[in-house]
Each structure stands twice: as structure tokens, then as C-alpha cells.
Amino acid sequence: MNKNSRSEAYAAAGVDITAGYKAVELMKSHIARTATPGACSDVGGFGGLFELDMTGITKPVLVSGTDGVGTKLKLAFLMDKHDTVGIDCVAMCVNDIICCGAKPLFFLDYIACGKNVPERIADIVKGVCDGCVQAGAALIGGETAEMPGFYPEDEYDLAGYSTGVVDRDKIIDNKTMREGDVILALPSSGVHSNGFSLVRKVFDVEHADLTSPLAALGGKSLGETLLAPTKIYVKPILALLEEVKVKGISHITGGGFYENIPRSIPDGLCAEIDRAAVRILPIFDLIAKTGNISERDMFNTFNMGVGMSVVVAKEDAERALEILHAAGEDAYILGKVIAADEKIIIR
């Protein structure tokens, strides 16, 4: 910690530089857990360094993604629980880049807050580090910006950025997708990090009971269920890519099925989803019932229990399911690819 850096004038304006130093000290042990062979910089530098290992890659292509947690953060504020939203932040980035077949290499975070409370910042970064460990990515840098007067003292925003690498010849595209291919579902852990503006409106979360157990949620509270972190699919997908030709992957985020699954389907083909196969989580039934929301709008807003969809050839479907099950994913057949002008049909 730099004991010589202290500005009384800056502190009087609401920015405590020393709080930032304390936050860094508190988060160092968490960051150390994310170290991978390529990470070659310490916390506190001006740039995050990463040495790219090209072993087995003939035509390296870097794939990058950036995202935030959105208004799910309001739940963290209300429950004063800040150690899981970092997982969401990592997930929203790495789950996107794995759709191209890219292995995440490193991650950087950005936290903007009204007041730097070192223990709270360390909790946030702990979650980021948990997510990085799950994704196999190193946390090589970040920024905490104390912005009094711009954010309320007890609130913050969180965003992140990740870069991965894939061999050009192994980039996942939909050029080989054909009628009859099978669509697999990888279950979600809940609402993940999308649709929370609607969730907050439906439950009026600022005035709701977020802590009492609910039978409709299997004895879990509303707050616990909504704050469940986004599942990270990197390692199961990488295991699948080692053995099976994957023709398309969709990360089911904002816009639900109707927005995201078609993104991996080429023109002239359509994703036919078996509505009866979808394993809808109880939280989505509760949202629909409480908010009187149509099924069409639910499937066009939320993941409905499916965090990621994967397209493989029919003859590879059984093997793909075996690999995903061995990797801890309770994957199942969600539908198939058909020839049609529409991009998705749920029936």
C-alpha cells in the first residue's frame, strides 16, 4: 500500500484514494486463484499482460466480448449481497465468446461506485474471481472508479471484458448446419442476468419480501432465487468440442429463445423447439403467474431454464449428450433443425 499518496482535497470532494489501496490489498488473494500459465502481470500495473501460447493453433483468431450485469445489481443492493454478481459479469462475457468455439484466456473488470467501501469492492471482485476460475480465465486487470455525486453511496455498476482464442479452422459457424440436425439444451441456473427490469416490475422488489422461503420455489426465498449467479458453460462446451463437430451455439440472454437461438441458424433453416421438452424452472412460472405475462412474451424475454443451445448432427446427438453429462451438464434434446422461412418455431 502506498502510504505517501493521500489528498485531503480529493477526500473532501468524496474520493478516498487510500480506500482504493485497501480494496486492492483485500482482493489480491482472490485474484491469485485465477492465475493461469499465460498471466504475467501483477495487480496494480497500468496494463494487464498475457503471454499467448500458440501450441496446437495454426491460425489464431482472438475473440472478445464485453458485458455487464444490468439491473440485477438492484437485487444485490437490496439484499446487501455482493459476492456473486461478479460471476454474472464473467459469465455474460465468456458464455458469448465460447459460442464461437473460443477458449477464454483472460478477463478485466470495471467497477464504478458512489463510495469505495473496500470490503464491498473485495466481495465483488471475489465473485469475479470465482467466475474466472469456473471459466479457466485469468483476471489480469481491472479498474475501480469512485464517482461521488454520480452514483449513490450504496450503489455501483459492474462491467467486464474477456478475450479468448480459437484456431481459424475451428471457428463455429452454421455453414454445415442441415435439416434434421438436433438442438440440445444446457439448463440454466435461473434467470441469469437478463430481463431484470421486468422481474423488478413484476415483483415490485423494492417493497417485496425477498428473504422468506416460498413453496413455489422449493423452499428458497425470492431474493436467493433471483440472485443465483449465471451458469458458466465454458468447460463443458470445450470438452464437447474436443470430440464432436458442433454446428452452432446460442447463449440464451436478453430476448430469450426468439432473439438468441435464431442467431446460430442460417437462412432457409429453422429451429423447431419442442415446447413439451423445455424444462421450465419454477421461477419462470412464478414470474408469468404474478405478472400475468403471456407465454410468448416469457419465451421472448427469459431463458426459461435453458441457458445455452447447441446444434449437432443427428448421429452425434447421443455422444454429445454423454460428453455433456460427464461434464456435469444435465443436457437434453430441445428440438431439431427444419427447412422453413421462419427462424424459430416453438410448438
Side-chain angles (χ1 to χ4, degrees), residues 252-269:
I252 315 300
T253 56
F257 279 45
Y258 285 99
E259 173 68 24
N260 293 287
I261 294 180
R263 294 168 68 177
S264 66
I265 308 295
D267 292 341
L269 295 178

Side-chain angles (χ1 to χ4, degrees), residues 198-215:
L198 179 55
V199 167
R200 289 168 44 237
K201 178 177 183 292
V202 165
F203 293 119
D204 187 18
V205 295
E206 283 78 6
H207 305 99
D209 180 353
L210 298 176
T211 58
S212 296
L214 295 177

Side-chain angles (χ1 to χ4, degrees), residues 11 15 19 33 61 73 80 100 105 164-166 175 178 192 207 213 223 229 233 237 274 278 289 297 313:
V15 178
R33 294 188 289 118
V61 175
L73 291 176
D80 194 23
C100 300
L105 299 173
V165 66
V166 61
K175 294 177 182 177
R178 300 288 184 268
H192 283 184
H207 305 99
Y233 298 98
I237 292 295
D274 180 359
V278 183
K289 180 179 179 181
D297 281 355

Side-chain angles (χ1 to χ4, degrees), residues 16-332:
D16 185 354
I17 298 172
T18 59
Y21 299 148
K22 182 179 179 181
V24 170
E25 290 299 316
L26 291 173
M27 67 178 72
K28 279 185 176 180
S29 62
H30 299 304
I31 296 172
R33 294 188 289 118
T34 75
T36 64
C40 48
S41 59
D42 293 325
V43 180
F46 288 99
L49 307 179
F50 192 91
E51 181 179 3
L52 184 60
D53 182 358
M54 308 278 266
T55 304
I57 301 176
T58 57
K59 301 175 183 177
V61 175
L62 297 179
V63 182
S64 298
T66 185
D67 210 336
V69 182
T71 62
K72 183 175 185 175
L73 291 176
K74 287 286 188 180
L75 268 296
F77 304 156
L78 290 167
M79 298 187 69
D80 194 23
K81 181 173 174 56
H82 311 282
D83 62 349
T84 61
V85 290
I87 300 176
D88 292 291
C89 189
V90 174
M92 296 306 294
C93 298
V94 299
N95 284 346
D96 276 355
I97 66 176
I98 195 64
C99 290
C100 300
K103 180 186 186 301
L105 299 173
F106 56 80
F107 188 84
L108 293 92
D109 62 17
Y110 174 78
I111 305 167
C113 58
K115 181 178 177 59
N116 188 330
V117 180
E119 292 77 13
R120 183 166 62 205
I121 298 299
D123 271 353
I124 297 168
V125 174
K126 174 190 177 298
V128 171
C129 293
D130 289 341
C132 285
V133 170
Q134 292 177 32
L139 181 61
I140 63 169
E143 173 69 14
T144 301
E146 190 172 17
M147 302 168 66
F150 194 88
Y151 291 97
E153 284 196 359
D154 293 329
E155 296 190 4
Y156 55 84
D157 197 8
L158 172 63
Y161 161 87
S162 185
T163 290
V165 66
V166 61
D167 197 311
R168 187 178 186 86
D169 295 333
K170 295 181 179 179
I171 294 174
I172 297 173
D173 56 37
N174 55 26
K175 294 177 182 177
T176 63
M177 201 174 293
R178 300 288 184 268
E179 183 176 14
D181 287 342
V182 173
I183 304 171
L184 307 179
L186 277 65
S188 71
S189 56
V191 184
H192 283 184
S193 300
N194 306 100
F196 269 85
S197 292
L198 179 55
V199 167
R200 289 168 44 237
K201 178 177 183 292
V202 165
F203 293 119
D204 187 18
V205 295
E206 283 78 6
H207 305 99
D209 180 353
L210 298 176
T211 58
S212 296
L214 295 177
L217 298 177
K220 293 184 177 181
S221 69
L222 180 61
E224 177 186 7
T225 302
L226 292 176
L227 208 54
T230 304
K231 185 181 286 189
I232 292 175
Y233 298 98
V234 170
K235 292 180 180 179
I237 292 295
L238 288 176
L240 180 64
L241 294 175
E242 286 288 322
E243 299 191 47
V244 172
K245 168 66 176 177
V246 173
K247 300 187 176 188
I249 303 179
S250 290
H251 181 202
I252 315 300
T253 56
F257 279 45
Y258 285 99
E259 173 68 24
N260 293 287
I261 294 180
R263 294 168 68 177
S264 66
I265 308 295
D267 292 341
L269 295 178
C270 171
E272 182 182 62
I273 305 300
D274 180 359
R275 167 63 181 80
V278 183
R279 300 174 186 174
I280 298 176
L281 295 175
I283 182 60
F284 297 112
D285 289 329
L286 186 60
I287 291 170
K289 180 179 179 181
T290 305
N292 191 28
I293 301 171
S294 71
E295 183 168 278
R296 175 63 168 73
D297 281 355
M298 289 295 295
F299 273 92
N300 205 169
T301 306
F302 301 105
N303 68 61
M304 299 301 285
V306 180
M308 187 163 278
S309 66
V310 176
V311 179
V312 297
K314 185 176 181 179
E315 59 268 25
D316 290 332
E318 184 175 345
R319 179 59 181 146
L321 288 173
E322 289 175 355
I323 295 166
L324 290 169
H325 291 164
E329 288 296 326
D330 190 17
Y332 60 93

